[in-house]
Amino acid sequence: MSQAPVPPPLLQNRLDVHDRKQFELKLEYQPSGADDETRYLVETYFFLPASLNIDAETYPRAAFYADIHNYVRFKTPVMSLAEVLDLDSSPLARLEAGLRTGLVSESELVYQSKLLSCIFRGALRRFANDVDVLCEGMARSPAEAACARLESEARATSGGARRVLERFRAWSRSANRYRMQEKTRASIRLVDEYMSLTVEQFFRKAVADMDALPRSGVYIELRKELMEEVLREERYRKDNQLRSVISPTGDNEEYIHRIGFLKKFCMNILFLSARRAQKRQGWEEVLFALAAGVAMAFATAVAFWAQGRYPHPQAQASLNFFLIMVVGYMMKDRIKEGMRRIFSQLAARHLYDRTARIVDPVTGRCLGICEEKVDYGSAVKVPESVAALRSRDDFITVTQGELSEMVLRYQKQVVLDAELLPRTERGLSGITDIIRVNVERFLRDMDEPEYALEYVDLEDFSVGRVRGAKSYQVDLAFRFIVEESGQEKESLQLVRLVLDRNGIKRMLRLCPEQPLHPEPIRSAA
């Protein structure tokens, strides 16, 4: 009796350095469908050295949000290459069926072509990741089982990729015999080019990951088979006069540009739009109006008291009445501004800064709500679980309380409506949320990245100089909370960014993701 497939986790994350100035957090929300609504809360704590001069005044909320780039899209549907070739529900089968029946619109043909390229890329990316993991394990301790699995996966993937491309190109040639708009023909050609480049990208990566393996026997044969597919696709692009070919002597600017453009063009069918709503601003206006009303009530009460204190008409023009009204107006103004500050702090503590509706641009349906918030310094209460995670480092434990640091917290809450998410044969389609954070503001007040240190040679006591690198360490603690079906699941992760004035040098994973025991959600009293 076959076992039921293991359901995917409700939340997965991947953290990595994107470039010298940015790091990237990739979140994958996957509701199980057991509840109408699934709530995700992601908290990021930045522990910044005081020398970086980061606080609410030097790095206000608007500047922080300007340094965040956010991309929200549907998760790429998961299919193996064998399923792409065999299943009637695969985009390739739908393209071929649409051509036979002629009942499919041109826009649907382009959509299914793009969807095929996304699924194709996902399958090759998983293969390249598997090769990386297998090669790392085999480099430490070679095993026959791992070697057999590597050989099996490499040959199945190279053969499957070739058959997918052959069938898609045969369909494309047949489709070109029909009357279609030139935009549709061009879109199909671009999808074809993107799939060709996808083979090159991930097969080259797989061969590069095999670098530590022996260069003989089955290992050299696998390298040859993968590179033959790469060269076959390169010749295909040359024969079709496409400019996406690597030049060993050039700067390959055109190649990089076309890869970036084609990826955006093919994956845009998965992207969702985030329509912002000024929820907090509306509540703040209500609170500020309340402050103005309280201040006006005070001023009116002072005026009534003054009229009662000096009831005669001639007395109303007296100096005492004049002074009372001036003081009353001064107090009214101060009461209004004071209450505005109090209400503003109250709103900052309990309301999110930004709210956005996650909308499917194809159907126009709102799939969920996304809310964001940033807090600084004393407004941030670090949870005990996060503090305990950092206390494992003696360096941090000793310096806490001795050296000051600024704590910045970025919260993001996403609530998804499971009933409105698309369904596939594998269950609900999840959503991928990519958060890219630019750290350039952190670098502004840093010292020079290199120093010359004096060094004394013990043989002749001559004095020389050696290189000294100046870096800064910023701890990032992540707290992931998922609420579904009355259960709350929490996990933690701690990493350290090593920075210098030029940007990110490296990312150290101090504590991998640690799931905590799920707890029932406590209802508000």
Side-chain angles (χ1 to χ4, degrees):
M1 182 176 177
S2 61
Q3 294 182 346
V6 178
L10 296 176
L11 175 63
Q12 291 179 289
N13 73 86
R14 189 182 70 194
L15 186 65
D16 209 348
V17 175
H18 182 263
D19 55 38
R20 285 284 283 176
K21 299 295 176 66
Q22 298 178 102
F23 70 87
E24 183 177 279
L25 175 63
K26 184 177 182 180
L27 303 166
E28 293 191 349
Y29 311 123
Q30 183 61 65
S32 67
D35 200 354
D36 294 342
E37 189 176 88
T38 305
R39 186 181 304 270
Y40 299 89
L41 177 63
V42 179
E43 294 183 333
T44 305
Y45 294 86
F46 296 76
F47 297 92
L48 301 157
S51 58
L52 298 185
N53 191 30
I54 301 290
D55 57 32
E57 292 184 359
T58 61
Y59 194 38
R61 287 181 171 86
F64 178 83
Y65 287 123
D67 286 337
I68 290 182
H69 298 276
N70 201 189
Y71 309 91
V72 184
R73 61 174 175 83
F74 285 122
K75 285 179 62 177
T76 304
V78 177
M79 280 188 180
S80 66
L81 294 177
E83 290 173 328
V84 171
L85 291 165
D86 297 337
L87 292 182
D88 292 337
S89 59
S90 78
L92 183 57
R94 289 175 177 172
L95 287 171
E96 293 170 338
L99 192 63
R100 289 193 300 269
T101 62
L103 300 177
V104 180
S105 64
E106 292 187 21
S107 61
E108 180 65 14
L109 293 179
V110 173
Y111 176 85
Q112 293 295 338
S113 298
K114 289 182 176 182
L115 184 60
L116 173 63
S117 71
C118 294
I119 294 174
F120 185 73
R121 183 179 187 276
L124 296 193
R125 182 180 64 238
R126 289 192 299 276
F127 161 70
N129 291 339
D130 288 346
V131 170
D132 185 22
V133 173
L134 287 171
C135 290
E136 284 186 3
M138 293 169 66
R140 291 191 298 267
S141 57
E144 292 185 5
C147 176
R149 181 183 169 190
L150 177 63
E151 181 181 3
S152 173
E153 285 198 21
R155 287 181 172 154
T157 303
S158 62
R162 190 186 321 120
R163 289 194 294 274
V164 169
L165 289 172
E166 287 172 353
R167 280 178 57 178
F168 177 72
R169 288 165 183 167
W171 170 85
S172 177
R173 288 191 296 270
S174 299
N176 282 331
R177 292 196 289 267
Y178 292 85
R179 296 181 62 183
M180 292 191 298
Q181 297 180 16
E182 181 56 31
K183 182 179 179 180
T184 303
R185 298 177 187 275
S187 297
I188 294 172
R189 289 196 297 269
L190 292 179
V191 170
D192 184 19
E193 182 180 0
Y194 179 61
M195 293 175 68
S196 175
L197 288 168
T198 299
V199 170
E200 177 175 278
Q201 176 186 357
F202 290 108
F203 282 9
R204 279 189 191 276
K205 182 181 182 301
V207 173
D209 291 335
M210 295 180 188
D211 190 53
L213 300 182
R215 301 183 185 278
S216 60
V218 67
Y219 302 109
I220 199 70
E221 292 300 323
L222 292 179
R223 290 184 176 98
K224 286 181 179 179
E225 289 181 19
L226 293 176
M227 288 308 299
E228 282 175 3
E229 297 300 322
V230 172
L231 294 175
R232 180 183 289 108
E233 290 307 311
E234 189 174 88
R235 288 193 299 270
Y236 175 80
R237 296 196 300 277
K238 286 181 178 178
D239 293 343
N240 286 273
Q241 299 180 344
L242 300 175
R243 292 170 291 176
S244 51
V245 178
I246 291 180
S247 170
T249 57
D251 61 4
N252 293 298
E253 179 183 353
E254 181 71 13
Y255 178 85
I256 297 297
H257 172 73
R258 289 186 75 85
I259 286 180
F261 173 83
L262 291 170
K263 182 179 179 181
K264 293 183 179 69
F265 173 76
C266 290
M267 296 193 70
N268 67 358
I269 60 167
L270 300 176
F271 278 85
L272 303 171
S273 64
R275 300 177 183 175
R276 303 213 176 275
Q278 300 297 328
K279 182 178 178 181
R280 173 175 167 178
Q281 184 179 358
W283 280 106
E284 282 186 333
E285 293 298 331
V286 172
L287 293 173
F288 292 164
L290 179 61
V294 172
M296 189 62 193
F298 174 83
T300 304
V302 170
F304 287 163
W305 176 83
Q307 287 182 346
R309 181 70 176 82
Y310 302 99
H312 300 293
Q314 63 272 20
Q316 292 186 7
S318 67
L319 179 61
N320 289 339
F321 182 84
F322 173 76
L323 292 176
I324 289 173
M325 293 302 296
V326 169
V327 171
Y329 181 82
M330 292 166 58
M331 293 300 295
K332 173 239 176 192
D333 185 68
R334 290 302 88 203
I335 290 173
K336 178 182 175 181
E337 292 303 317
M339 293 192 69
R340 280 175 63 94
R341 284 195 297 270
I342 293 172
F343 287 152
S344 180
Q345 293 172 0
L346 187 67
R349 188 177 302 115
H350 296 285
L351 298 178
Y352 284 89
D353 301 328
R354 305 197 303 182
T355 301
R357 297 166 60 243
I358 302 173
V359 178
D360 183 349
V362 176
T363 63
R365 293 185 300 183
C366 178
L367 306 177
I369 300 294
C370 171
E371 297 177 307
E372 298 170 281
K373 182 181 178 183
V374 180
D375 294 306
Y376 301 83
S378 59
V380 178
K381 184 178 180 181
V382 179
E384 293 182 2
S385 55
V386 173
L389 204 62
R390 293 191 77 213
S391 66
R392 299 179 183 182
D393 189 329
D394 290 342
F395 198 69
I396 296 174
T397 303
V398 171
T399 55
Q400 282 182 345
E402 306 259 346
L403 300 176
S404 61
E405 64 180 1
M406 166 59 66
V407 182
L408 185 152
R409 179 181 63 188
Y410 169 61
Q411 291 180 297
K412 184 168 191 175
Q413 179 174 260
V414 175
V415 181
L416 296 179
D417 190 335
E419 294 183 348
L420 296 180
L421 291 175
R423 291 186 177 271
T424 66
E425 293 182 348
R426 297 175 184 263
L428 283 179
S429 176
I431 287 180
T432 298
D433 185 3
I434 300 173
I435 305 170
R436 197 171 292 166
V437 181
N438 192 308
V439 301
E440 194 162 7
R441 173 58 188 85
F442 298 171
L443 316 178
R444 192 186 69 184
D445 292 327
M446 289 186 178
D447 295 337
E448 290 293 332
E450 291 189 2
Y451 286 90
L453 303 177
E454 292 183 345
Y455 174 79
V456 178
D457 191 324
L458 295 179
E459 292 186 1
D460 58 4
F461 297 100
S462 61
V463 178
R465 293 183 181 276
V466 296
R467 176 176 170 267
K470 174 68 173 179
S471 66
Y472 297 78
Q473 297 182 351
V474 174
D475 286 355
L476 302 176
F478 297 89
R479 186 174 178 228
F480 306 101
I481 300 175
V482 182
E483 296 179 9
E484 187 183 74
S485 301
Q487 292 286 318
E488 179 180 288
K489 298 179 181 178
E490 178 181 342
S491 60
L492 303 170
Q493 189 174 0
L494 180 65
V495 301
R496 176 172 293 163
L497 283 180
V498 181
L499 310 167
D500 65 14
R501 199 168 185 175
N502 295 322
I504 302 173
K505 297 182 70 174
R506 59 188 174 275
M507 177 184 286
L508 306 175
R509 303 183 188 277
L510 302 183
C511 283
E513 186 175 358
Q514 298 184 352
L516 303 181
H517 295 295
E519 297 180 358
I521 300 173
R522 298 178 179 85
S523 59

